[in-house]
Amino acid sequence: MSLPYTELPDFLEALDQMERPLTVVAHQDDELTFSGVLTRAADRMHIVWVTNGDGLYFIENVSPEAYGKIRMAEALNSATAVGIPGSHTQCLEYSEVDLYQRFMFITENQRAVDWIKPYYQRIIDDLRQYIFEYKPEAVFTCGYQGGNPEHDIIHYFTRLVVDEYERDSGKQVPFIHVPMYEYTVLVALRFNPFYRGLRWRYQLDERERANKRKQLDAYPSQIELFEKFQKVATFAGWLGLFTRGRPYSLEEYLSIEEWGPVPKDWDYLRNPHLLDRANYIGDHFGRVPVSFEKSVKPIIAAFPRL
């Protein structure tokens, strides 16, 4: 089955007619990387956050439960900032702490994926229930890029369910992934130079740019992380010297959002980077590093695409 759209204007024209576009992302704040689409389809878009965002609880010196509540409240404010009502959102409330603990178990013992498999099956089943009831006409999700293991796992599980929904309904559902970051945050909000899929670049208008700023303001718990992103984006803007003779400002960089359709034949068992140590740099749990080959690939292999 071929991609239903290859050109961005064609997809946007179709998106404007869709009654049920859907965003499925790993955790809170992932959605603000494509504010333009959310603003454009706000009256029709639904958002699903799979985790409760409790992973950085230690930063605030509170319990994971308390931090998760902070993150979920911020996410609702973020959705409201682009015009998406809370009734069009849902959090499945899986704990990031639990996910990372399981990454550690699998890294230390590859056979652990067999007895942890029911846990991941529950996530897939919850996504299946939502997607089959909602009947999406397009699905946006995190890029599968070796930057964050939760992004990659949730992308893949969503892919499995969308595949199943397409087979069941006989309909093609554009499956769009949005790059977040990789190489820590050295490549932020863009696909890396070696990516060979379709790259669509969406130019935000003034209202969409204003909504992105509102979304950033909706996440006070993430100020330090956003400042790091902004520094990287500012540095990346200097690459404009080679393409148009002057650097991009931070505002200009953030006003262009990059995303595109996931190829149907995407090989999810292939390492996103040439070297495994380029994946999930600095990610660990209990001092056990998270890697693609030892932590994520075994999970992907346990749930093969049909």
Side-chain angles (χ1 to χ4, degrees):
M1 189 179 293
S2 61
L3 290 169
Y5 308 100
T6 56
E7 300 295 333
L8 177 57
D10 295 335
F11 174 72
L12 292 176
E13 182 178 354
L15 177 64
D16 290 342
Q17 302 302 315
M18 292 178 186
E19 296 180 358
R20 294 182 307 280
L22 176 65
T23 291
V24 179
V25 286
H27 49 251
Q28 295 72 15
D29 77 35
D30 288 339
E31 77 286 348
L32 62 79
T33 59
F34 49 112
S35 301
V37 167
L38 298 181
T39 299
R40 188 181 186 113
D43 58 330
R44 297 160 285 124
M45 180 70 76
H46 283 221
I47 301 177
V48 174
W49 295 282
V50 175
T51 77
N52 64 3
D54 65 359
L56 297 178
Y57 70 94
F58 48 86
I59 291 178
E60 297 289 339
N61 196 28
V62 297
S63 68
E65 295 77 13
Y67 191 68
K69 290 180 180 179
I70 291 172
R71 296 282 276 147
M72 287 189 284
E74 289 176 333
L76 288 176
N77 290 336
S78 169
T80 301
V82 295
I84 300 175
S87 60
H88 287 191
T89 71
Q90 181 164 336
C91 181
L92 301 183
E93 298 192 34
Y94 283 90
S95 168
E96 290 187 290
V97 177
D98 289 349
L99 279 166
Y100 268 85
Q101 185 180 53
R102 284 160 175 77
F103 289 142
M104 178 186 70
F105 291 156
I106 295 169
T107 300
E108 293 187 319
N109 181 357
Q110 300 289 285
R111 291 178 296 178
V113 73
D114 293 329
W115 56 267
I116 297 175
K117 190 173 179 179
Y119 172 82
Y120 299 117
Q121 187 64 58
R122 287 198 298 274
I123 299 177
I124 295 171
D125 290 344
D126 284 348
L127 287 170
R128 179 186 296 109
Q129 180 176 348
Y130 191 97
I131 287 174
F132 271 66
E133 289 180 359
Y134 183 65
K135 298 179 174 58
E137 295 165 279
V139 176
F140 295 83
T141 194
C142 308
Y144 191 89
Q145 59 187 133
N148 179 287
E150 292 177 336
H151 292 169
D152 292 352
I153 289 294
I154 300 310
H155 170 120
Y156 183 69
F157 288 168
T158 305
R159 170 79 278 175
L160 291 179
V161 176
V162 171
D163 282 350
E164 184 179 351
Y165 177 73
E166 287 186 322
R167 291 192 299 270
D168 184 78
S169 66
K171 299 177 181 178
Q172 284 185 289
V173 179
F175 189 60
I176 311 298
H177 62 163
V178 183
M180 305 288 172
Y181 59 84
E182 51 191 307
Y183 305 114
T184 62
V185 293
L186 292 179
V187 178
L189 313 180
R190 300 288 189 268
F191 292 114
N192 72 54
F194 308 106
Y195 178 73
R196 292 296 175 261
L198 286 175
R199 300 168 182 258
W200 289 344
R201 288 200 165 186
Y202 183 82
Q203 178 67 58
L204 275 63
D205 62 25
E206 181 52 43
R207 184 169 70 98
E208 292 164 346
R209 290 195 295 271
N211 282 352
K212 183 181 284 287
R213 290 190 290 269
K214 292 177 185 176
Q215 282 190 291
L216 289 166
D217 291 340
Y219 283 105
S221 72
Q222 305 301 296
I223 289 176
E224 290 186 9
L225 178 61
F226 292 162
E227 288 178 348
K228 185 184 294 186
F229 268 102
Q230 289 173 356
K231 289 178 181 178
V232 172
T234 299
F235 172 77
W238 282 96
L239 297 178
L241 283 171
F242 301 99
T243 59
R244 62 174 188 170
R246 70 174 182 85
Y248 289 93
S249 69
L250 176 62
E251 183 78 8
E252 287 176 310
Y253 186 86
L254 295 177
S255 70
I256 298 174
E257 297 178 342
E258 185 170 276
W259 32 272
V262 183
K264 285 287 187 179
D265 60 352
W266 187 277
D267 184 0
Y268 286 99
L269 292 176
R270 182 179 179 181
N271 195 316
H273 296 104
L274 183 62
L275 300 175
D276 197 25
R277 60 175 172 267
N279 298 298
Y280 321 133
I281 297 173
D283 257 331
H284 61 87
F285 187 90
R287 298 185 179 181
V288 175
V290 178
S291 73
F292 178 79
E293 291 293 338
K294 292 185 177 181
S295 313
V296 171
K297 184 177 179 179
I299 302 171
I300 302 299
F303 296 93
R305 293 179 71 187
L306 300 179

